[in-house]
Amino acid sequence: MIRTIIGGIAIGIANIIPGVSGGTMMVILGVFNRVMDAISNLLKRDNPNRLADLLFLGELLLGAAIGLIGFAKVLGYLLSEFEVQTMYWFIGLIAFSIPVFLKAEVKGKGKVKGLPTLIGMAIIFALVYFNPGEASDVHVVYPDVSVWLCVKLVLIGAIGGASMLLPGVSGSMVLLILGEYYLFRAYLANVLLFQLNILIPLGFMGIGIILGIVISAKVCGYFLKHNHDATISFILGLIIASTLVLIPLDAAYDMNLILTSFISFAFGGVMVMGIEKIAG
């Protein structure tokens, strides 16, 4: 139970940062297929493991909520003060997860196909191309709560939730492209104020996120079952490209920054190897 909650916290933290994928974090933690199966089977009439699936998803969602809410401000500080090192830490996590992913999904089951891999990479590069870039959430103004706002947030949450589940695809980056990321992060960072103009919109966005996750899991589960090699290759392309696009090319590198960035990258790799060893 504790292990699942901690994994959920890591997934929640990953989903806060534009460019970092919660789905990739699931791959790193070795729970991607378990999550797909649990969500996909949850609504089936004949599912003897429904209670176990519910408990597993509940623990994971609890951890994700803790990660999203509890670390929104912490990560804001890290990205503000140590942006390059923080990004290289995540690059290390993602890069070292690729062999883990291939070992789990390809070895003895199939082979990687070139075209689906390239398509997956192209989607990530397209997301980065349409990324509106940096902006400030310091002066976010909460909109008035209305029916239209609630419907809009359900739709936005569904899109973000669907993208959060795919390895390599950053749900936060998708929200950034939609122009709703900074409002979403402001809601999360201030949820403990318990103001209705924050809780109500966040609740409707949460409903949308759950719907998006369920739909995404159903679709992904179907393709994994009926076209395993192409789907795995597509996901591999997403992961590879997400590693490349996170590299801070515009940073002012000096010897100190290079050294600390390398240490952060290596730390990410050590974490992946440690998690793989614990997972057995």
Side-chain angles (χ1 to χ4, degrees), residues 54 136 172 179 193:
L54 279 171
S136 174
S172 292
L193 295 177

Side-chain angles (χ1 to χ4, degrees), residues 16-250:
I16 298 175
I17 304 175
V20 180
S21 166
T24 300
M25 188 61 68
M26 292 182 199
V27 172
I28 294 170
L29 295 169
V31 298
F32 179 72
N33 283 342
R34 177 75 176 91
V35 172
M36 293 293 108
D37 291 339
I39 296 175
S40 183
N41 295 331
L42 199 58
L43 300 179
K44 288 184 177 179
R45 176 179 295 181
D46 298 321
N47 179 15
N49 299 316
R50 180 172 283 109
L51 180 59
D53 289 339
L54 279 171
L55 288 174
F56 171 75
L57 291 174
E59 293 166 3
L60 205 66
L61 286 172
L62 175 61
I66 294 172
L68 283 167
I69 297 170
F71 288 86
K73 290 186 176 180
V74 174
L75 280 172
Y77 170 78
L78 288 176
L79 288 171
S80 173
E81 300 296 327
F82 308 100
E83 179 181 7
V84 175
Q85 292 90 337
T86 303
M87 296 312 295
Y88 272 105
W89 174 45
F90 278 96
I91 291 171
L93 286 171
I94 298 171
F96 280 88
S97 73
I98 293 175
V100 178
F101 178 74
L102 291 174
K103 180 181 177 181
E105 297 297 339
V106 177
K107 187 177 180 180
K109 298 180 182 181
K111 60 181 181 180
V112 174
K113 295 185 176 181
L115 182 59
T117 302
L118 291 175
I119 292 173
M121 294 178 69
I123 288 176
I124 297 299
F125 292 140
L127 286 174
V128 174
Y129 178 79
F130 289 109
N131 183 349
E134 296 295 330
S136 174
D137 59 342
V138 175
H139 302 295
V140 168
V141 177
Y142 299 118
D144 294 333
V145 178
S146 64
V147 173
W148 162 243
L149 176 66
C150 294
V151 172
K152 174 186 173 183
L153 291 178
V154 169
L155 293 174
I156 291 170
I159 296 171
S163 60
M164 285 176 186
L165 210 58
L166 288 174
V169 179
S170 167
S172 292
M173 183 180 288
V174 172
L175 291 178
L176 195 63
I177 292 169
L178 294 174
E180 302 294 338
Y181 169 72
Y182 292 104
L183 178 62
F184 177 56
R185 198 171 82 172
Y187 279 143
L188 287 175
N190 296 289
V191 67
L192 295 180
L193 295 177
F194 298 109
Q195 296 176 355
L196 291 180
N197 65 330
I198 295 175
L199 294 177
I200 293 175
L202 197 57
F204 278 95
M205 183 171 274
I207 292 171
I209 289 173
I210 292 172
L211 289 174
I213 287 174
V214 171
I215 294 171
S216 180
K218 285 284 187 181
V219 172
C220 192
Y222 174 84
F223 282 105
L224 280 171
K225 182 178 180 181
H226 292 88
N227 203 336
H228 179 272
D229 289 0
T231 304
I232 291 302
S233 300
F234 174 74
I235 292 174
L236 177 63
L238 296 175
I239 297 174
I240 292 173
S242 68
T243 305
L244 298 175
V245 300
L246 286 179
I247 298 174
L249 296 176
D250 57 347

